[in-house]
C-alpha cells in the first residue's frame, strides 16, 4: 500500500474541520482539489474513506482510523522539526499569531521587529481574531499562538489541550469626557452616568457587569462598542463614560479624555495560549517559544511609557 503523505494531510484536515470546504480554506486549495485528493487516497488504500450518502461529508470507520494515523504523522513531523532545530541552532519556519488591535499595535509590532533582527528565518503572520472563533482556530491548528484577554474576576482559561502563559496584567481605568462638570468620586457616583460599554463577552464588558453587580447598580448603556478607538472617541465627545484597559490609553492624544483616579475597577489578563505538545519530548515548539519570548520583552518595555501616560491624563478626585 503506497500512501502519499500529502493526501493524509488532506484527510486529516477534513476530519479536523468537519468538511471539505473548511479543509480547502485551511489548505489553500479548491474544494474540487480536496475531493480529488480524497478520491485518489481511497484508490490507494482500496477502501471508502468518505461517507457520501448524506448531504454533509463524514468519514467512514476506515476513514476515521486513517485520519487518526494522519494526525500522528503530523505530530511526528513536528517532532522531527524540533530535533533538527536543535542540530542547526537556527530557528526557521512560519508561525501564525492571532490577537486583537491593541495587542497587535503595542506588543506584536515591536516583537516582530525583534524577531526579524534575531531570527530572520522565522516568518510570522498575524490574524486579527479573538474570542471563541480564535480559540477554535487554535485548536484546529490554523493558529499557533493566540493572545487572549479576560477579566481577572473570572477563572483563568484552563483546558487540557491548551497551554496558557500570563503575559500582562492590564489595569482598568474609568475614562471621562473632558468637560464633565461633576466627575465621579466613588464607584456609587457612576450609577447616574451613561456608559459606553464593551460587548458582554469582552473583558471590559465583563468588568462593567462585575463592577455594577458588586456595587448594586444597573449601568445605563447608551452605546455598546467593540473597539477602544470608537469607545474613546464617544467618551471624548461627551456621550458617556467607559471602562478601558490602561494599554488602550497609549493611543489617546493628551487632553482628549480624562482618566479617573478611581482604582477599584480591577484588571484584565493578557495570555499567550498555545496547543499542548503531544510529541515524545513534550517540549514546546521552539519557534513558538522564541515568539512568545519576544512578545514578553515587548510587553515589559511598555511599562515606562504607560506609567507616563497615566500620570499625564489622570483626573484628581
Amino acid at each position: 500500500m503506497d500512501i502519499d503523505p500529502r493526501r493524509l494531510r488532506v484527510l486529516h484536515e477534513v476530519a479536523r474541520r468537519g468538511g471539505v470546504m473548511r479543509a480547502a480554506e485551511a489548505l489553500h486549495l479548491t474544494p474540487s482539489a480536496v475531493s480529488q485528493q480524497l478520491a485518489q487516497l481511497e484508490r490507494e488504500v482500496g477502501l471508502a474513506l468518505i461517507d457520501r450518502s448524506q448531504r454533509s461529508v463524514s468519514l467512514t470507520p476506515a476513514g476515521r482510523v486513517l485520519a487518526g494515523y494522519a494526525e500522528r504523522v503530523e505530530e511526528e513531523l513536528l517532532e522531527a522539526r524540533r530535533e533538527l532545530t536543535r542540530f542547526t541552532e537556527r530557528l526557521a519556519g512560519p508561525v501564525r499569531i492571532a490577537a486583537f488591535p491593541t495587542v497587535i499595535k503595542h506588543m506584536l509590532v515591536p516583537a516582530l521587529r525583534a524577531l526579524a533582527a534575531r531570527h530572520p528565518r522565522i516568518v510570522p503572520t498575524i490574524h486579527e481574531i479573538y474570542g471563541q472563533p480564535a480559540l477554535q482556530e487554535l485548536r484546529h491548528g490554523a493558529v499557533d499562538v493566540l493572545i487572549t484577554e479576560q477579566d481577572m474576576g473570572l477563572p483563568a482559561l484552563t483546558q487540557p489541550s491548551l497551554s496558557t502563559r500570563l503575559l500582562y496584567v492590564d489595569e482598568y481605568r474609568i475614562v471621562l469626557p473632558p468637560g464633565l462638570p461633576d466627575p465621579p468620586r466613588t464607584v456609587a457616583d457612576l450609577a447616574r452616568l451613561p456608559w459606553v460599554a464593551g460587548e458582554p463577552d469582552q473583558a471590559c464588558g465583563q468588568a462593567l457587569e462585575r463592577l455594577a453587580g458588586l456595587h448594586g447598580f444597573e449601568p445605563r448603556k447608551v452605546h455598546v462598542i467593540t473597539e477602544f478607538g470608537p469607545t474613546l472617541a464617544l467618551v471624548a465627545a461627551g456621550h458617556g463614560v467607559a471602562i478601558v484597559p490602561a494599554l488602550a490609553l497609549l493611543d489617546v492624544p493628551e487632553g482628549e479624555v480624562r482618566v479617573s483616579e478611581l482604582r477599584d475597577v480591577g484588571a484584565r489578563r493578557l495570555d499567550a495560549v498555545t496547543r499542548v505538545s503531544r510529541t515524545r519530548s513534550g517540549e514546546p515548539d521552539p519557534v513558538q517559544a522564541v515568539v512568545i519570548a519576544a512578545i514578553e520583552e515587548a510587553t515589559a518595555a511598555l511599562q515606562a511609557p504607560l506609567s507616563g501616560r497615566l500620570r499625564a491624563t489622570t483626573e484628581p478626585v
Side-chain angles (χ1 to χ4, degrees):
M1 185 185 298
D2 186 15
I3 299 176
D4 190 328
R6 291 172 297 181
R7 296 191 183 101
L8 281 179
R9 173 74 191 281
V10 172
L11 180 67
H12 183 205
E13 288 296 333
V14 170
R16 184 164 62 178
R17 297 181 181 276
V20 169
M21 294 292 292
R22 291 179 180 175
E25 291 175 2
L27 294 166
H28 304 290
L29 298 172
T30 65
S32 175
V34 169
S35 296
Q36 290 172 13
Q37 291 288 320
L38 292 173
Q40 181 60 35
L41 184 60
E42 287 180 318
R43 286 192 288 271
E44 289 173 352
V45 300
L47 292 167
L49 304 175
I50 303 297
D51 183 354
R52 298 177 177 84
S53 63
Q54 301 178 11
R55 293 185 62 183
S56 59
V57 172
S58 61
L59 301 187
T60 64
R64 289 194 292 272
V65 168
L66 189 57
Y69 280 101
E71 184 173 6
R72 281 180 244 173
V73 169
E74 290 274 313
E75 294 293 348
E76 291 292 331
L77 290 173
L78 182 58
E79 178 75 0
R81 179 185 172 195
R82 290 191 181 93
E83 294 298 328
L84 291 174
T85 298
R86 295 188 188 98
F87 281 115
T88 62
E89 296 184 352
R90 297 187 67 182
L91 297 171
V95 59
R96 298 155 296 188
I97 311 166
F100 42 94
T102 50
V103 165
I104 293 171
K105 180 175 182 178
H106 298 297
M107 295 164 63
L108 294 189
V109 170
L112 293 189
R113 284 197 293 267
L115 283 170
R118 298 170 191 167
H119 305 286
R121 297 178 65 192
I122 290 179
V123 184
T125 58
I126 296 176
H127 301 259
E128 184 185 336
I129 181 172
Y130 40 87
Q132 286 302 317
L135 280 171
Q136 185 174 354
E137 291 292 281
L138 178 67
R139 294 190 191 98
H140 289 169
V143 165
D144 301 307
V145 179
L146 169 62
I147 311 300
T148 63
E149 66 154 13
Q150 184 173 288
D151 183 62
M152 289 289 287
L154 297 175
L157 176 68
T158 55
Q159 295 184 16
S161 62
L162 301 179
S163 174
T164 300
R165 185 182 184 94
L166 178 64
L167 291 174
Y168 187 57
V169 175
D170 194 8
E171 290 190 24
Y172 296 126
R173 293 292 189 272
I174 296 173
V175 289
L176 318 166
L180 190 66
D182 187 18
R185 297 179 179 274
T186 66
V187 174
D189 293 337
L190 298 172
R192 61 183 173 82
L193 298 174
W195 284 90
V196 182
E199 294 284 355
D201 61 343
Q202 292 182 300
C204 288
Q206 295 162 353
L208 178 56
E209 292 303 317
R210 173 178 48 75
L211 190 70
L214 186 63
H215 293 272
F217 70 92
E218 182 68 29
R220 181 160 55 95
K221 302 176 185 179
V222 293
H223 305 285
V224 178
I225 305 295
T226 299
E227 303 294 346
F228 297 130
T231 295
L232 290 163
L234 285 165
V235 172
H239 294 289
V241 300
I243 294 175
V244 299
L247 194 60
L249 296 173
L250 287 173
D251 297 322
V252 182
E254 189 171 344
E256 186 168 289
V257 297
R258 291 150 62 183
V259 181
S260 171
E261 277 193 346
L262 291 171
R263 299 294 293 273
D264 54 348
V265 188
R268 66 172 180 172
R269 60 180 293 148
L270 302 179
D271 293 301
V273 185
T274 56
R275 294 182 301 280
V276 171
S277 173
R278 289 180 290 177
T279 59
R280 289 189 298 270
S281 68
E283 294 182 9
D285 182 278
V287 172
Q288 295 176 20
V290 298
V291 167
I292 292 173
I295 297 171
E296 289 176 325
E297 184 178 319
T299 303
L302 289 172
Q303 297 291 349
L306 191 53
S307 296
R309 170 61 68 182
L310 289 174
R311 283 195 299 271
T313 56
T314 297
E315 171 74 19
V317 295

